[in-house]
């Protein structure tokens, strides 16, 4: 009963957070909650987006994990029209040689949709090639921002502070050769997105020293693992809030050209709910990050959920222990000595109840 009460409180807190953040209402009860095509992966992403778990996860990460203390997951809410920012990872391509025509088509599509984007660029051979450099200059000229996504598509959190500092300096040198200057204007920030989302304290110190703002998204539907453009369009449109940072990936052989199929559907849906697409630097400069009381609300929400799950688990274990005790020691109230018990005639009968991961002996002990 206590666990159920805590779960109810968690739902109320999530609803309060969604109201405070002016989150997108679902299109309808079923369409907003469940993926049409099903599948366990889509169910998981639907849950994460529908209840804004990434946004609420920002609270404990920025408070309790030193490496993420300056992370920007979302901008704060304001009295103006709610805003969102689109970010695109792995630009222009993760590998070389690469087919850059799909990224060129994406630039044309963004111009038609009138959506500014933050491109997190991997400064590899693809970006430095003649075609890649031309497309990055075109992106800059169209008003898109360029952010640091490392020199390769791989973890950087295992680097030493000196190695990471050298990597950041090399990225800046390569991009400056392509664009002439970076950042492009006085109003743009220096943005960094950690590859694979993994940060370390060494990385955080270097980025702070070099004046970077660090970004992870609060609205992502797993487009690098789930190939289903219709699902991504619906999930993103139902999962954004005021100040949300959306993430999609540049076209790649691994997940295809999903972004070009998602944006024509998702952008009108998001706009129809009153949201305005804006640049990353502009959104955070005008609104800042999430307020401390909003972060505290996130901590309270996750603590309530964790406590409810813990109580449910404890209740199951207590129930199992009592059944084991009756099976082994007997029921004194009925005079049953436990041998030939009507409930558990052999110790092996406990195995299906406990599951494969627990032995009968361990469960009863």
């Amino acid at each position: 009963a206590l666990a159920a009460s805590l779960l109810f409180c968690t739902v109320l807190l999530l609803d309060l957070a969604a109201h405070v953040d002016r989150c997108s209402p679902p299109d309808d009860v079923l369409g907003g909650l469940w993926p049409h095509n099903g599948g366990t992966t889509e169910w998981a992403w639907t849950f994460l987006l529908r209840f804004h778990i990434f946004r609420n996860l920002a609270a404990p990460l920025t408070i309790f994990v030193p490496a993420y203390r300056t992370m920007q997951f979302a901008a704060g809410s304001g009295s103006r029209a709610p805003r969102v920012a689109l970010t695109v990872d792995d630009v222009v391509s993760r590998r070389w040689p690469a087919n850059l025509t799909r990224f060129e088509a994406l630039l044309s599509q963004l111009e038609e949709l009138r959506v500014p984007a933050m491109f997190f660029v991997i400064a590899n051979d693809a970006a430095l090639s003649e075609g890649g450099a031309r497309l990055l200059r075109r992106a800059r000229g169209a008003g898109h921002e360029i952010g640091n996504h490392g020199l390769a598509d791989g973890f950087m959190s295992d680097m030493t502070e000196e190695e990471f500092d050298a990597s950041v300096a090399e990225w800046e040198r390569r991009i400056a050769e392509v664009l002439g200057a970076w950042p492009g204007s006085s109003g743009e920030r220096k943005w960094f997105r950690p590859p694979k989302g993994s940060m370390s304290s060494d990385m955080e110190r270097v980025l702070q020293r070099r004046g970077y703002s660090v970004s992870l998204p609060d609205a992502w539907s797993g487009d690098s693992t789930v190939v289903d453009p219709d699902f991504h369009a619906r999930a993103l449109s139902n999962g954004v809030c005021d100040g949300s940072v959306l993430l999609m990936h540049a076209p790649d052989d691994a997940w295809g050209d999903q972004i070009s199929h998602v944006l024509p559907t998702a952008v009108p849906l998001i706009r129809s709910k009153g949201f305005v697409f804006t640049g990353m630097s502009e959104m955070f400069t005008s609104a800042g990050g999430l307020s401390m009381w909003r972060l505290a609300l996130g901590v309270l929400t996750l603590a309530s959920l964790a406590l409810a799950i813990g109580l449910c688990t404890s209740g199951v274990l207590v129930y199992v222990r009592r059944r084991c005790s009756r099976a082994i020691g007997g029921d004194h109230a009925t005079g049953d000595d436990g041998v030939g018990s009507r409930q558990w005639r052999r110790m092996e009968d406990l195995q299906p109840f406990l599951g494969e991961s627990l032995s009968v002996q361990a469960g009863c002990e």
Side-chain angles (χ1 to χ4, degrees):
L2 181 58
S5 299
L6 283 169
L7 285 173
F8 179 71
C9 290
T10 301
V11 173
L12 291 180
L13 288 169
L14 286 169
D15 185 65
L16 174 61
H19 177 74
V20 168
D21 292 337
R22 298 196 288 177
C23 295
S24 167
D27 295 326
D28 54 75
V29 175
L30 293 180
L33 290 176
W34 317 121
H36 288 274
N37 293 339
T40 55
T41 304
E42 289 189 3
W43 278 77
W45 283 111
T46 299
F47 173 81
L48 291 173
L49 270 171
R50 182 63 187 86
F51 293 103
H52 316 292
I53 299 302
F54 290 127
R55 200 177 183 95
N56 287 296
L57 186 64
L61 277 178
T62 56
I63 293 175
F64 300 117
V65 184
Y68 289 83
R69 65 187 178 89
T70 58
M71 186 69 64
Q72 301 277 12
F73 285 84
S77 298
S79 57
R80 46 163 174 65
R83 303 194 226 181
V84 295
L86 172 66
T87 64
V88 183
D89 279 9
D90 298 343
V91 175
V92 292
S93 177
R94 293 189 302 162
R95 302 178 183 88
W96 181 256
N99 181 359
L100 300 181
T101 57
R102 293 180 297 186
F103 182 70
E104 187 168 18
L106 173 62
L107 289 177
S108 299
Q109 186 179 70
L110 290 171
E111 291 176 9
E112 293 174 3
L113 293 170
R114 303 186 310 280
V115 172
M118 161 63 74
F119 291 125
F120 283 104
V121 175
I122 301 175
N124 55 11
D125 290 340
L128 300 178
S129 68
E130 181 180 352
R134 176 179 58 83
L135 292 176
L136 288 178
R137 287 191 289 268
R138 175 182 169 183
R140 163 70 67 77
H144 304 297
E145 294 184 72
I146 304 296
N148 189 335
H149 201 39
L151 301 177
D153 180 40
F155 289 97
M156 304 181 78
S157 53
D158 56 352
M159 291 182 175
T160 64
E161 185 171 341
E162 293 74 18
E163 290 172 338
F164 180 70
D165 186 73
S167 177
V168 172
E170 178 62 15
W171 186 95
E172 293 181 0
R173 185 191 68 79
R174 294 182 183 183
I175 294 301
E177 286 185 358
V178 172
L179 300 178
W182 182 83
S185 67
S186 59
E188 289 186 12
R189 294 191 189 187
K190 296 170 66 175
W191 287 97
F192 178 85
R193 173 160 291 166
K196 315 299 183 184
S198 180
M199 282 284 291
S200 69
S201 296
D202 288 338
M203 293 172 65
E204 196 271 340
R205 284 190 293 270
V206 170
L207 294 170
Q208 279 283 94
R209 186 167 64 245
R210 286 183 168 270
Y212 275 86
S213 298
V214 190
S215 167
L216 281 178
D218 70 315
W220 180 41
S221 53
D223 65 313
S224 60
T225 57
V226 178
V227 181
D228 186 349
D230 291 339
F231 163 72
H232 294 303
R234 185 178 58 259
L236 289 175
S237 66
N238 285 327
V240 296
C241 303
D242 187 11
S244 277
V245 176
L246 284 72
L247 165 62
M248 292 209 71
H249 286 79
D252 188 90
D253 291 339
W255 48 78
D257 192 14
Q258 289 200 95
I259 185 171
S260 296
H261 297 284
V262 171
L263 292 182
T265 301
V267 169
L269 282 174
I270 293 172
R271 282 177 170 158
S272 69
K273 298 179 180 183
F275 291 88
V276 175
F277 283 87
T278 187
M280 276 273 285
S281 295
E282 179 186 350
M283 185 171 73
F284 279 89
T285 299
S286 61
L290 297 177
S291 64
M292 287 304 300
W293 82 269
R294 176 60 186 82
L295 295 178
L297 179 59
V299 171
L300 183 62
T301 301
L302 290 177
S304 176
L305 178 62
L307 185 57
I309 294 174
L311 285 171
C312 288
T313 304
S314 299
V316 171
L317 292 177
V318 168
Y319 175 75
V320 170
R321 185 179 181 87
R322 289 177 177 174
R323 296 297 295 268
C324 288
S325 298
R326 293 182 64 182
I328 296 173
D331 188 341
H332 298 291
T334 61
D336 189 345
D337 62 0
V339 178
S341 167
R342 291 190 303 269
Q343 296 172 340
W344 306 105
R345 294 190 179 278
R346 296 188 312 275
M347 286 296 295
E348 290 79 2
D349 291 338
L350 286 170
Q351 189 65 35
F353 183 80
L354 292 173
E356 296 179 358
S357 61
L358 297 174
S359 69
V360 172
Q361 181 178 359
C364 292
E365 287 177 354

